Each structure stands twice: as structure tokens, then as C-alpha cells.
Amino acid sequence: MNTWTQMNTADEEQLLLLACRAFETRTKLNAHPVGAGGQPGRRGTSGYRADGYLQIGPKGLLFLAEAKSRLLPDTVGRLRTINQQTGEPVVLVVPYVNDRQGEKLREQGIQYLDTAGNAYLCQADGSFLVLVEGQREPLAEQPAQHRVFQPAGVQLLYHLLGEPTLLQASYRAMAEQAQVALGSVSILLRGLQQLALLREESGTRRWTDPAQVLRRWVDAYGEVVRPKLPAQRYRWLEPGVARQSWQGLELGAEMAWGGEPAAHLLLDGYLLPEYFTLYSTATRGDVMRRLRLVPDPTGPVEVLRPMATTLGPARPQPQAVHPLLAYADLLLTADPRNREVAQMLHEHYLSHLA
């Protein structure tokens, strides 16, 4: 699948409206957003914070709407979890769902609309079913990613989310810690306030919805930053290392495990890694020599050159990246096992973002 980017409220409203118009054109059934204009974040009975409601069909059936600008690798797992939690119909609304993506979403019971008119909606009792596919992708330009979730913002948020006390620090301290320009800090914090994600009262800053900020950061990291990190894949020269001795490899200050091996280290061996993510600023030759790796485009070891601040000292496990980054790595794999382990990392290390 493609990836998703996070949207601001105005873009969400526009996407819901365009999808409803396309649905009406293709099906001749009524459809319109409810609760999006000026009322973002409507909650279902389970407490799930939706982007709005869609009222669809001759009986005006209500569907919770989850609006996203593109598909991320963890789409299926996330929507399945939401469906289980809400007990109400939840519809994924995106600019475009191709036939292959639609088939995968339907296999998992995920309902969707797009702005081309492709749709899959159903009621559990079978009284309402709509399936439209084969519509071509619209040519309209999609909404741009908000500046807060561009690389500098992702890097700053990495520190603000991972180090709670930094949120109350001076702009200069934030800039130094995150290694972003001082002038960018005020712009990015102002952007967070405009998105209603951050509030400042009496000199104290606080997240308005920490869980949403975390979710948006993971999405932005997966869409904007991670795909652009220089990466190579390898296999172990000695296959037994993957099960028996990888933990004993001496990484040094310029390397740290991410993803599955990071979770293993941070959770006292709970997860046995199948795929290995390593963040490293060392040369390729040095990585291959020290870890005894052989280049292989389909190998189980992925080595990434990290964001500038990834290998900083503020990590609870010296051989692993910060739990925040390991959490994102796990979610972005779309593996149900990794999603469960990501939740364990959240409970142990990121509970302040609930």
C-alpha cells in the first residue's frame, strides 16, 4: 500500500465533502458530512475521537469517519482496532482507493469512501450494502502536509514527545536539543496551537490530546521522514546470529537498534526479532564488518541513517533507540504482532501520551 499523511481540520472537512459528493454522483444516494464543520473530533460511544460523521443513504445511516490523505502501511491494523473499540460503523475516507487496496480493505471488514467515487459500505445485518470500484484516481491536487509535520517539525516533536519536561523549556533549549533553527521553534509551536494540538495558559504548555499528537507524529514520521532516510538491506553472514548472539554485538555510540530488536531490549526479551532495524551513522563497510553482514536487497536486516538527534544520550537502553521511535517502527510494519508489542512499549515508556 501507499502511505498516509496527517491532515489538518480544514483538509479533513474538504476531503469528507468531496468524498460524499463523489459518492452521490456514482450511486445517486444522499451523502453528507455531519459534525465536521467547526466540530472536529466527534466521539463515538466508545470514546473514539472521529473526524466527523457521514449521513448516508435514504434512511440517513450514520457512519463515523476517519479521514486520511493517503494510505499508510498500518492502515488495516489501525482501522480494525478502531472498529473493535467503537461498536459503530467506521468509514475510512481517503482521496483514492485502487482496486487492489479496496480488496485488501474489504477482506478485513474496513469500509471506505474516496473522492473518485469508489466505496464499500455495509451494515452488519445486511440491510445496506454499497460497493463501487474501478473509478480512476482524481487529478485534483491533494492537500499539502502541514508545516508542523514536515521534517523539522517531526524532529522537534520527537523530543517534545519523548522528553515531557522539554515542553516547558525555553525556545532556545528546544532548538538546541532537537537541533533545529531557533526561529523554527516558535513557528512550529504556533502551528501546533493553530491545529488545536497545543495550548499555553499562564506560561504552561500542554497537549490538548496527547494520543492524537502521538498518532500524527507516527504518521508524519512514516510518510515524510523515514522513506527519505538512506537505507541498505543485508543478511547475516552467520544465520545463527539472528537467534543466538545479536544482543552481544558491540554497536558503539554511532549505532542503535530500532523496531523489533529495540523492543526486545526495552521489554526484557519479550519479543524475538524476525526483522532487524538498525540506525547507524557509521560507514557501510564498518557496519558490515562489525555486525558480519552481507548485502542482500531482501535481507532481514535494514540499516538506516537516522535523523540527526536519534542517537542522542536521552535513551533508557543504550543499544536501542528511544522507545518513541521503536514504537513508530513497529506500527509502520503493519504486523499485528508488532502492533501488540508497540502497545506494550506505550504502556511502559509512553504512558504520558495517553
Side-chain angles (χ1 to χ4, degrees):
M1 284 191 177
N2 295 332
T3 51
W4 285 5
T5 53
Q6 187 61 48
M7 308 179 72
N8 60 40
T9 302
D11 289 338
E12 289 169 354
E13 294 176 11
Q14 180 71 1
L15 178 57
L16 296 181
L17 182 60
L18 290 175
C20 285
R21 287 177 178 173
F23 179 83
E24 289 184 325
T25 299
R26 300 298 177 190
T27 66
K28 308 306 178 185
L29 296 173
N30 294 328
H32 61 273
V34 178
Q39 302 178 50
R42 292 288 296 274
R43 291 184 183 271
T45 56
S46 68
Y48 160 65
R49 184 180 293 273
D51 296 321
Y53 281 96
L54 302 179
Q55 192 166 20
I56 295 175
K59 295 182 179 180
L61 297 173
L62 284 177
F63 294 81
L64 291 166
E66 178 79 8
K68 297 292 178 183
S69 65
R70 294 181 189 174
L71 291 168
L72 260 184
D74 68 339
T75 304
V76 173
R78 176 176 296 169
L79 267 294
R80 286 182 61 187
T81 299
I82 291 173
N83 284 337
Q84 291 168 2
Q85 291 174 346
T86 60
E88 300 180 61
V90 179
V91 178
L92 171 65
V93 183
V94 289
Y96 185 64
V97 176
N98 64 36
D99 289 351
R100 181 182 177 188
Q101 292 166 343
E103 182 180 2
K104 290 184 177 180
L105 292 171
R106 294 193 298 273
E107 286 174 355
Q108 299 299 324
I110 295 171
Q111 303 177 86
Y112 59 84
L113 291 180
D114 72 12
T115 60
N118 296 299
Y120 173 62
L121 300 170
C122 62
Q123 290 286 294
D125 61 5
S127 61
F128 181 75
L129 173 64
V130 175
L131 173 60
V132 180
E133 59 182 338
Q135 304 301 317
R136 293 185 177 182
E137 184 172 7
L139 298 177
E141 184 177 351
Q142 302 303 329
Q145 180 75 292
H146 193 282
R147 180 168 182 171
V148 165
F149 299 105
Q150 292 295 333
V154 171
Q155 191 156 308
L156 177 62
L157 280 170
Y158 171 71
H159 288 272
L160 296 180
L161 295 174
E163 304 170 50
T165 58
L166 188 63
L167 190 59
Q168 308 307 326
S170 67
Y171 287 1
R172 185 172 298 279
M174 291 182 188
E176 291 176 354
Q177 185 72 12
Q179 296 184 27
V180 299
L182 179 59
S184 296
V185 173
S186 61
I187 294 172
L188 294 170
L189 292 185
R190 192 180 312 120
L192 287 165
Q193 291 176 356
Q194 292 169 350
L195 292 173
L197 298 176
L198 182 70
R199 180 177 298 171
E200 185 168 350
E201 295 176 344
S202 303
T204 300
R205 305 182 189 99
R206 68 177 183 87
W207 303 116
T208 58
D209 187 344
Q212 183 184 172
V213 179
L214 174 60
R215 185 189 69 173
R216 294 183 120 178
W217 180 84
V218 171
D219 286 354
Y221 177 73
E223 164 67 15
V224 176
V225 175
R226 201 178 195 278
K228 297 179 181 178
L229 298 177
Q232 296 93 31
R233 282 199 170 272
Y234 303 88
R235 57 180 168 83
W236 301 103
L237 182 61
E238 301 170 3
V241 171
R243 291 289 177 186
Q244 301 168 4
S245 58
W246 67 268
Q247 304 96 318
L249 295 170
E250 295 186 9
L251 300 184
E254 69 273 30
M255 299 183 193
W257 293 112
E260 295 181 23
H264 176 94
L265 296 170
L266 290 163
L267 296 174
D268 297 325
Y270 176 81
L271 176 67
L272 293 177
E274 294 183 11
Y275 296 95
F276 293 78
T277 301
L278 181 73
Y279 289 91
S280 174
T281 58
T283 65
R284 187 175 186 182
D286 197 26
V287 171
M288 293 171 60
R289 177 181 57 80
R290 289 164 62 179
L291 274 66
R292 296 183 63 76
L293 298 172
V294 178
D296 184 339
T298 63
V301 183
E302 181 181 30
V303 180
L304 297 161
R305 191 166 189 87
M307 293 187 298
T309 55
T310 298
L311 303 182
R315 292 180 281 137
Q317 221 292 343
Q319 287 198 310
V321 296
H322 192 281
L324 175 63
L325 183 54
Y327 172 83
D329 282 339
L330 292 171
L331 289 182
L332 293 170
T333 66
D335 185 329
R337 179 190 68 149
N338 284 349
R339 177 171 291 277
E340 177 184 344
V341 176
Q343 184 58 38
M344 294 178 65
L345 280 178
H346 189 285
E347 293 171 0
H348 281 75
Y349 296 99
L350 305 172
S351 58
H352 61 284
L353 298 175

